[in-house]
Amino acid sequence: MSMRNWLAAPLLWVVAFAAQAQEKSYAYWNMPKGVTEISRDVYGLHMLIFWVVVVIGVGVFAAFFYSIWAHRRSRNPKPATFHESTTVEIVWTVIPFLILIAMAIPATGTLIKIEDSSDAEMTVKVTGYQWMWGYEYVGEDVSFISRLDRASDRARQVGSGIDPRTVENYLLEVDNRLVIPTDTKVRFLLTSNDVIHSWWVPEFGMKRDAIPGFINEMWARVDEPGVYRGQCTELCGRDHGFMPVVVEAVPPAEFERWLAEQKGESGAAEAAPAAAGTEVAAAEAGTTTDAAVDAGNEAADEAAAAAPLDKAELMTAGEKAYKANCVACHQASGEGMPPAFPSLVGSSVVNGETAQYITQVLNGKNAMPPFGHLSDKEIAGVVTYTRNSWGNESGPVQPGDVAALRQ
Amino acid sequence: MAEAHAHDHAHDHHGPAKLSDGFGKWAMRWISTTNHKDLGTLYLVWAFAMFFVGGLMSLVIRGELFAPGLQFVDPEFFNQMTTMHALIMIFGGVMPAFTGLANWMVPMQIGCSDLALPRVNNWGFWILPFAFGLLLSTLFMDGGAPASGWTMYPPLVLQTGEAFPYLIFSIHLMGISSITGAINVVVTILNMRAPGMTLLKMPLFVWTWLITAYLLIAVMPVLAGAVTMLLTDRYFGTSFFNAAGGGDPVMFQHIFWFFGHPEVYILILPAFGIVSTIIPTFARKTLFGYASMVYATASIAFLSFIVWAHHMFTVGMPLAGELFFMFSTMLIAVPTGVKVFNWIATMWRGSMTFETPMLFALGFVFLFTIGGFSGLMLAIAPADFQYHDTYFVVAHFHYVLVPGAVFAILAAIYYWIPKWTGVMYNEKLGQFHFWWSAIWINVLFFPQHFLGLAGMPRRIPDYAVQFTDFNVISSIGAFAFFIGQFVFIYNMIQCMRGVGEPAPARPWEGAHGLEWTVPSPAPYHTFEKPPVVDDKEVAAHA
Ligand SMILES: [Cu+2]
Ligand SMILES: [Cu+2]
């Protein structure tokens, strides 16, 4: 390739890239304009400061590169001797200062607008859990849990053999979407049940932290019906990357219908997030302390699965697996958060026929996710552990029993 | 008395123990040394060992992110890598590297024989292996290494396994080490300058380090306090950061960033000093505004104490608080701009040549400014609600830290290594090292701006498929950048072995300063008698 081709290639590539970016339905290399007045204001501010910076940059770097070219020794063997000029120093202090003031004015206006969540027409309480979101329609008696959808969850396991490109909306889809009406000022109250999370929908132009023991506020008035996707943005532990936020905005009439349907659908939908805040935080203190997970040696576990294990070993493995996978819903005490997450203490499933229990852990049931990605030993362990803790006394289960039940 | 003197003399004559004097003697020399040059070398070697370790961790991160889906690490291990990478690079790499440069250069630039507290100096260095031994040992513990990010936010950090107390104590040790280094620098600069070396004649590297040292003394204890509160929250039943007990998890963030923002200037002010030394040398022209550089540094240091909450705009502060931190943060752009303008004015109508130190210094000016621009964007609070905790932030701080702080460290080493070793480094390899680094660092970090804007959160081990392209590019950049650094290591090892052209006392024709008045390599003890300060040498800016 000639020199010119070498220079042209990256340029062509960038152009091709840009053209390709144009066709995408999602944000590809810039902030989305979004679907709220706030998000458009924020986008406007972003582009304004971007162009300010670009203009300053072009000026500064032009001087910089010109000087490198023109004032190199081969062209300018005798250096000038000037230095120190109070006037010049004042000029280049004052001009940036004025530019900053010009920037600060619109930024302040937008900030004031963002922080004004008065006159909201409805309120949704958002609770962060490790690692899912709880949504509660305040005053409507409707609440549910929203977690990563099964297709993504299966594909995202190490060595799943599933190409994420074949999964629709990989990592950006949930089992239960948050549904809100369009053209309505919706206030979100954010809190958390365990650690700090952050709730973000880029198309709404806002993110805000969900903090245990505190309630934060933000709001959105969505103009266009559609599905808007985001993610948790505050590091919240092992599965921080796997707790998407998906909001479906529908016209108000449709929303009313949806809401009525939800209310009709049994009290079972009524869920745990109700009690978030200080009391829950108190109840939680310590329960999740050891949730740090060790899923590293699955292979070794698999190899060991053939031989029957003694109960003590199963209990140890089980306790670890339980803390890593089950505490978030069923709690360290095993008492769960009824009615959403049933208590395992004295449960007929736990203490009953093992095949049914193992199958439920492998494949999940309703709001309980499947745990088929755990090793046989971990599942045997967790079943043994729950069958022999908190007053349950129902004997161990072997990894072989689990293996037999996998299809 | 006479005998003691004779012994001293003999000792001087032999110089410090070499490997050829026997391994035991040689090892003891390095362990027990109180010589600022030895300790400077130790600090620098240490820093590069840590850059290597932290670099390997970043390759685990970039390797995992090379494709969507989890390739080979567990998400928890991924979080351990991001956490450890940051702690090691910041506290094990960049900070010790600057301390090493201060060790070598501060006494030589102000004309004194050593730092004021040589034993403390030895102690300050030898704490580091213990601090990082503790920290790295957590990788092999039950529950693994800390995985809550280097920011250690509670309640998440309280979920750390057995590693937790080790994390806290290693931070305490790093803090003690930095504070001893900082006190030493302050005491030395204020008390031991050669007669005639007034404060406003000091080289800018000395000035920026003096201010940095004050920042360190002010904020390292704050960090120590914050992590101690974590310790008592976990083990002694306090509730500083636990809402259930009347505490507040956000209070930790306020305390942490009250340390953390000055910390980012601790990582960059000495770099400003280095660049302000190198550009005039190779432009053969006096620094345009010496005094305004000093004042700009001081105002940046002052402002750094009142902007901390810009790291936490999303925690839900009162509007007045958000406005205050937005305005104060934007203000920092003013003195920072003054610096950049001064560097360019220094280059203007100079007579520039582009040896490796100059290339790295110019690379610094260009790329640090890009990091400064994204910083200005991040200061706009409403826009920060979008940028916060995305790859845009990752791109921003890596621009100021890698082609910023690290390029300055490399520039400084190329600039002074002839003085340290007495031989010139290989210029061809140096030039190659610069171009290789400058290209790949942009391939590595520039696409991360796009990722962040398009919505990719930071600290995630896997991503939605639309983020694939830029992640692939970024990962390629990471591996290429990393490999290129071995050219530098090889070049420096050759210098340390004495292979290369002998260096004259003043290898750069435009260089000024007392360090160039002593032979190359600088004798083991320099300026035991204070030098006569010649204004032409030190006050070339006056
Ligand atoms: Cu998260
Ligand atoms: Cu900051």
Side-chain angles (χ1 to χ4, degrees), chain A residues 145-156:
Chain A
I145 291 284
S146 174
R147 61 182 352 263
L148 184 66
D149 75 316
R150 304 246 163 116
S152 294
D153 199 41
R154 272 189 213 109
R156 67 127 171 153

Side-chain angles (χ1 to χ4, degrees), chain A residues 28 46 73 84 170 207 238, chain B residues 288 387-388 462 469 509:
Chain A
Y28 187 64
H46 158 68
R73 183 157 63 173
E84 224 65 53
Y170 177 62
K207 71 168 68 72
R238 182 173 190 267
Chain B
F288 180 77
Y387 308 138
H388 180 75
D462 190 5
D469 300 341
E509 69 172 307

Side-chain angles (χ1 to χ4, degrees), chain B residues 159-170:
Chain B
Q159 296 182 352
T160 308
E162 281 174 17
F164 184 76
Y166 293 83
L167 167 68
I168 305 295
F169 288 134
S170 67

Side-chain angles (χ1 to χ4, degrees), chain B residues 255-299:
Chain B
I255 302 173
F256 181 86
W257 287 113
F258 185 81
F259 145 79
H261 195 87
E263 170 70 15
V264 310
Y265 288 101
I266 288 166
L267 299 173
I268 204 70
L269 292 185
F272 289 167
I274 291 163
V275 171
S276 305
T277 308
I278 292 177
I279 289 182
T281 298
F282 294 94
R284 294 166 181 77
K285 187 163 159 278
T286 312
L287 187 66
F288 180 77
Y290 173 87
S292 71
M293 282 299 220
V294 172
Y295 299 140
T297 310
S299 22

Side-chain angles (χ1 to χ4, degrees), chain B residues 145-232:
Chain B
S148 55
W150 81 284
T151 47
M152 301 176 285
Y153 285 2
L156 183 63
V157 70
L158 299 172
Q159 296 182 352
T160 308
E162 281 174 17
F164 184 76
Y166 293 83
L167 167 68
I168 305 295
F169 288 134
S170 67
I171 301 260
H172 279 154
L173 290 178
M174 294 167 202
I176 293 171
S177 166
S178 320
I179 289 181
T180 56
I183 291 177
N184 222 338
V185 167
V186 171
V187 176
T188 308
I189 295 175
L190 293 187
N191 294 305
M192 297 178 57
R193 297 188 312 277
M197 173 70 77
T198 58
L199 283 176
L200 280 175
K201 284 183 190 167
M202 294 195 312
L204 263 167
F205 179 67
V206 177
W207 253 117
T208 51
W209 238 110
L210 180 65
I211 292 170
T212 303
Y214 275 113
L215 289 182
L216 276 167
I217 294 169
V219 301
M220 290 313 284
V222 176
L223 175 66
V227 297
T228 307
M229 286 189 257
L230 289 176
L231 195 75
T232 62

Side-chain angles (χ1 to χ4, degrees), chain A residues 259-270:
Chain A
L259 199 64
E261 243 170 61
Q262 299 302 306
K263 285 184 190 162
E265 199 165 83
S266 86
E270 187 198 319

Side-chain angles (χ1 to χ4, degrees), chain A residues 131 133 195-198 231-237 239-241 243:
Chain A
W131 294 275
W133 296 100
V195 301
I196 302 175
H197 304 266
S198 192
Q231 280 175 273
C232 175
T233 46
E234 179 62 53
L235 178 62
C236 56
D239 285 347
H240 162 58
M243 47 184 295

Side-chain angles (χ1 to χ4, degrees), chain B residues 257 260-262 264-265 304 307-311 329:
Chain B
W257 287 113
H261 195 87
V264 310
Y265 288 101
S304 78
V307 298
W308 74 88
H310 65 209
H311 295 268
T329 303

